[in-house]
Amino acid sequence: MKKKVKNNVFWVGKVDWELRKFHGNEYSTHKGSSYNSYLIQEEKTVLIDTVWTPFAEEFVENLSKEIDLDKIDYIVANHGEVDHSGALPALMKRIPGKPIYCTENAVKSLKGQYHEDWNFQVVKTGDKLDIGNGKELVFVEMRMLHWPDSMATYLTKDNILFSNDAFGQHYANEELFNDLVDQCDLFNESIKYYANILTPFSHILRKKLDEVISLGLPIDIIATSHGVVWRENPMQIVEKYSQWANDYQENQITVIYDTMWNGTKLLAEKIAEGIRLADPDVVVKVFSLAKSDDNDLITEVFKSKTVVMGSPTMSNSILHSVAGFIHLMKEMRFKGKKAAAFGCYGWSGESVKVINELMADAGFEVINEGYRNQWNPDGDSQNAAVDFGKKIAMA
Ligand code: FEO
């Protein structure tokens, strides 16, 4: 069922309450998601984006109940990824030949995925499309936010920015608008989304935010492609993105470890104790990799000024969970964060050295040689771990 966004603009997307993993298995969606598609019914009728492939038939069926599909004049594909373009094949079977406005790169991604030669109309930043009643669509390329084909579309007079992935959240809700949902949920899902999806492109985002602001377009509503429509103080999320894109960190130190027989776990707790003793103001958090969600942990790393990584030595190296998580952190291209390593060992004890090398390679400043302990930590070793935590807090 369509929902009114403003005047003749309607939401016609899909709320996916059951989604628990997105991007294959790469992103946890504890609160589901939505694929927001919008219908603009002025003198011309415009469809902006569609929904993910599994909901294609349902989407086209529902849309055909709201409007005679032949009345659609223009389709805008802000982005070619399947969660927004997935219903295009089903839709274009019903209305072949209708023009699809998208970037040059989106032609490549749409052709590459669907192998169809639809009526593509390539647009670039500043191009306009008259939709009647004195209103225009203005296109803004959003290259690498987060795909090379990404684009935003601005509707004049109603002052709505259809931002696609930018400013979104994986957050299923029926209320649609930002002022109607739980504000803690909204913030947590927004920062998790930024941390896990947009951090690698922060340097591009900084420039793009300046460019969009310099266009001087009044923005009353930001209509994203996932989660809420920002209608109450929509610039609040733009301001958050400005902060997050500038090598964001809070006064937080996060200890992350995996363990085999709980020796490294004990060190983690003692290190956290030392950090807390040396700096009562710093937020200290301790996470077991085996018991935590990777994407939630990335959000904690995003907020951290220092990450303390621990692994026991296993086969002259580290546990694969720790190696995998450091790889994930490397993909995020975090800047300006410090790191330290620790771990227990029985025989050779290479884990700390390996973590130091991997963390440096992942872009972290490794602040010391790390702390390693042979066998199960006794009283002296536990005290040494507390002292190691104090050193990290002071670094
Ligand atoms: Fe929501 Fe990049 O797709």
Side-chain angles (χ1 to χ4, degrees):
M1 193 179 69
K2 73 179 184 183
K3 298 175 191 170
K4 185 169 182 158
V5 173
K6 182 180 181 181
N7 297 334
N8 297 320
V9 179
F10 302 90
W11 176 94
V12 288
K14 169 71 185 179
V15 179
D16 189 351
W17 287 97
E18 297 187 358
L19 189 77
R20 288 296 174 268
K21 287 287 182 179
F22 187 75
H23 281 158
N25 204 39
E26 284 293 297
Y27 188 108
S28 59
T29 47
H30 308 312
K31 293 190 178 292
S33 191
S34 63
Y35 319 105
N36 297 337
S37 168
Y38 299 95
L39 190 65
I40 306 172
Q41 294 178 287
E42 296 293 348
E43 283 175 43
K44 299 290 185 184
T45 298
V46 185
L47 181 72
I48 298 190
D49 296 321
T50 67
V51 300
W52 187 28
T53 319
F55 306 105
E57 296 298 336
E58 171 186 337
F59 171 78
V60 174
E61 182 64 25
N62 288 342
L63 191 61
S64 69
K65 287 180 193 156
E66 302 292 348
I67 186 176
D68 175 357
L69 297 179
D70 288 324
K71 292 233 158 65
I72 295 174
D73 296 291
Y74 311 129
I75 297 158
V76 173
N78 277 324
H79 174 33
E81 199 163 8
V82 292
D83 51 329
H84 309 297
S85 66
L88 277 179
L91 180 67
M92 299 316 285
K93 271 195 189 118
R94 300 280 292 271
I95 48 172
K98 293 284 180 175
I100 299 175
Y101 289 78
C102 62
T103 63
E104 194 172 1
N105 277 328
V107 176
K108 291 179 197 165
S109 64
L110 292 170
K111 279 188 177 176
Q113 292 176 106
Y114 304 115
H115 312 291
E116 296 280 359
D117 202 12
W118 293 316
N119 177 11
F120 295 111
Q121 299 294 315
V122 171
V123 291
K124 51 190 185 325
T125 296
D127 286 353
K128 293 174 180 171
L129 182 62
D130 191 337
I131 60 169
N133 296 331
K135 297 184 183 180
E136 289 179 321
L137 296 178
V138 183
F139 302 106
V140 183
E141 289 168 273
M142 302 279 277
R143 192 178 166 85
M144 293 319 297
L145 297 173
H146 68 128
W147 269 23
D149 66 7
S150 298
M151 169 174 96
T153 299
Y154 178 78
L155 173 60
T156 63
K157 293 221 165 159
D158 288 326
N159 303 339
I160 301 175
L161 181 70
F162 299 95
S163 61
N164 196 259
D165 281 331
F167 312 120
Q169 328 81 44
H170 288 301
Y171 180 31
N173 69 90
E174 289 291 346
E175 292 89 343
L176 186 59
F177 296 105
N178 70 305
D179 50 300
L180 300 182
V181 301
D182 182 291
Q183 297 300 293
C184 285
D185 282 350
L186 177 57
F187 176 79
N188 288 337
E189 293 305 328
S190 294
I191 195 170
K192 176 179 176 179
Y193 184 98
Y194 187 96
N196 283 273
I197 297 174
L198 290 163
T199 303
F201 312 111
S202 284
H203 59 295
I204 300 171
L205 185 70
R206 287 196 291 269
K207 287 191 199 133
K208 185 52 70 176
L209 286 175
D210 290 344
E211 183 190 318
V212 171
I213 289 164
S214 73
L215 290 174
L217 304 170
I219 295 175
D220 292 344
I221 288 178
I222 296 177
T224 68
S225 61
H226 295 292
V228 300
V229 169
W230 298 88
R231 71 173 178 186
E232 187 181 271
N233 184 15
M235 296 313 281
Q236 66 179 289
I237 190 63
V238 179
E239 284 155 21
K240 281 288 173 206
Y241 268 45
S242 284
Q243 291 173 16
W244 294 339
N246 278 284
D247 304 336
Y248 182 76
Q249 53 181 245
E250 298 175 11
N251 187 23
Q252 176 173 329
I253 298 177
T254 304
V255 182
I256 300 173
Y257 72 94
D258 204 351
T259 195
M260 293 168 74
W261 301 111
N262 290 337
T264 300
K265 172 186 164 74
L266 182 53
L267 293 185
E269 288 165 355
K270 289 294 166 186
I271 290 167
E273 188 181 319
I275 295 168
R276 165 66 64 201
L277 285 170
D279 183 356
D281 293 329
V282 74
V283 173
V284 189
K285 296 187 184 179
V286 182
F287 295 101
S288 154
L289 267 173
K291 295 176 184 174
S292 304
D293 177 275
D294 281 349
N295 304 109
D296 292 341
L297 281 190
I298 285 292
T299 312
E300 296 297 341
V301 171
F302 179 71
K303 292 192 275 187
S304 300
K305 58 182 184 181
T306 304
V307 176
V308 193
M309 286 297 299
S311 172
T313 295
M314 167 84 162
S315 302
N316 309 110
S317 189
I318 58 177
L319 298 182
H320 75 271
S321 55
V322 179
F325 188 71
I326 297 175
H327 178 77
L328 185 57
M329 287 195 292
K330 182 180 176 180
E331 284 180 17
M332 296 302 128
R333 299 178 212 159
F334 291 117
K335 299 274 186 304
K337 296 190 190 295
K338 295 182 166 72
F342 66 98
C344 280
Y345 66 100
W347 308 108
S348 53
E350 292 91 341
S351 70
V352 167
K353 182 169 172 287
V354 171
I355 291 173
N356 281 341
E357 288 169 1
L358 290 175
M359 291 299 278
D361 180 55
F364 289 76
E365 179 197 343
V366 178
I367 55 178
N368 58 36
E369 71 285 358
Y371 178 71
R372 61 180 204 151
N373 176 74
Q374 191 167 24
W375 304 116
N376 206 28
D378 61 9
D380 286 346
S381 300
Q382 291 178 39
N383 289 337
V386 171
D387 288 341
F388 180 66
K390 288 179 183 171
K391 266 199 259 172
I392 291 168
M394 320 261 231

